[in-house]
């Protein structure tokens, strides 16, 4: 009975919760972060404060606040008395990121399956259907729809873990997903190499909906590793070309 009351209290809290109002610094942070992840700011490039102010139509204060936050999350590096630059991409960081991400994705998915409800199921099915439509068009229209595909891919992976009760785990998963997206977008920009993962997504969805935690977690780990391997190959090729 106590457990039921606790679950009811949690549901009421979620319903009553209102999304916080975004400040100008929050919105600036979101825009700069998106441009870093999407590759509009190249890895290792300088982030000039005055240029950012002009680009986003804001003052110096929200830009500084946004960059400080991006630095704390690993998207930018603070230069002593000289502003900021985009965090570079490298093989060792990608390997470390992949190791952390596969563990967090699997644990978040396991907890989501244990705490799943009907809205979780519906969210997965809806997001998978949307992603599938773009998957089928990706081969012929990659340059045109890559932004839409990335958004749909993120929504699908987020839907898988949305029933996870650990907010800290979800925050860390989201941070790592953003970092991995940076690497993936870079590999696409450099080599037009897009891994087709439609059947992997389907298998993960089916295992999750069947409440087969072990299979679902094994599949999500394999999926993360396979994606990372594709990016590693592109990044290695780019590094060799630069050195030569």
């Amino acid at each position: 009975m106590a457990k039921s009351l606790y679950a009811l209290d949690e549901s009421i809290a979620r319903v009553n919760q209102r999304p916080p109002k975004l400040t100008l610094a929050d919105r600036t942070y979101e825009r700069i972060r998106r441009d870093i992840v999407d590759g509009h700011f190249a890895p290792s490039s300088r982030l000039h404060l005055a240029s950012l102010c002009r680009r986003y139509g804001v003052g110096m204060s929200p830009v500084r606040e946004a960059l400080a936050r991006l630095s704390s999350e690993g998207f930018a590096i603070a230069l002593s008395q000289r502003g900021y630059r985009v965090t570079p991409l490298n093989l060792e960081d990608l390997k470390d990121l992949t190791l952390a991400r596969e563990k967090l994705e699997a644990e978040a998915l396991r907890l989501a399956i244990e705490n799943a409800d009907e809205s979780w199921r519906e969210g997965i099915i809806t997001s998978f259907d949307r992603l599938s439509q773009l998957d089928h068009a990706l081969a012929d229209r990659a340059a045109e729809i890559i932004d839409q595909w990335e958004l749909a891919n993120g929504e699908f992976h987020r839907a898988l873990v949305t029933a996870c009760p650990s907010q800290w785990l979800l925050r860390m998963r989201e941070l790592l997903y953003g970092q991995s997206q940076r690497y993936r977008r870079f590999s696409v920009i450099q080599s037009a190499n897009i891994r087709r993962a439609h059947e992997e997504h389907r298998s993960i969805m089916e295992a999750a909906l069947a409440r087969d935690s072990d299979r679902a977690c094994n599949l999500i780990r394999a999926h993360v590793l396979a994606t990372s391997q594709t990016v590693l190959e592109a990044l290695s090729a780019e590094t060799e070309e630069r050195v030569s």
Side-chain angles (χ1 to χ4, degrees), residues 20-32 62 65-66 69:
K21 184 177 181 180
L22 293 179
T23 65
L24 183 58
D26 291 332
R27 292 195 295 273
T28 304
Y29 156 82
E30 292 289 351
R31 295 174 71 185
I32 298 175
E65 189 175 332
R69 183 175 170 186

Side-chain angles (χ1 to χ4, degrees), residues 164-203:
C164 173
S166 172
Q167 294 304 306
W168 276 109
L169 192 55
L170 290 177
R171 289 189 195 109
M172 293 304 298
R173 193 214 71 88
E174 194 70 23
L175 175 61
L176 294 181
Y177 183 87
Q179 291 286 358
S180 66
Q181 185 181 10
R182 234 185 117 218
Y183 277 94
R184 187 169 61 251
R185 285 301 296 263
F186 176 78
S187 72
V188 171
I189 291 170
Q190 292 298 312
S191 64
N193 185 8
I194 303 172
R195 193 172 70 85
R196 285 19 172 203
H198 177 68
E199 291 307 317
E200 292 176 24
H201 288 147
R202 179 183 294 281
S203 296

Side-chain angles (χ1 to χ4, degrees), residues 203-214:
S203 296
I204 294 167
M205 177 191 68
E206 290 174 348
L209 295 181
R211 302 290 187 94
D212 189 341
S213 297
D214 289 342

Side-chain angles (χ1 to χ4, degrees), residues 9 39 63 65 71 83 91 101 124 139 141 147 176 185 193 219 241:
D9 288 341
V63 167
E65 189 175 332
S71 177
L91 295 173
R101 187 175 167 228
I124 292 175
R141 300 166 54 203
D147 289 337
L176 294 181
R185 285 301 296 263
N193 185 8
L219 287 170
E241 182 179 335

Side-chain angles (χ1 to χ4, degrees), residues 26 70 111 155 242:
D26 291 332
L70 289 163
L111 290 172
E155 289 176 351
R242 187 174 63 245

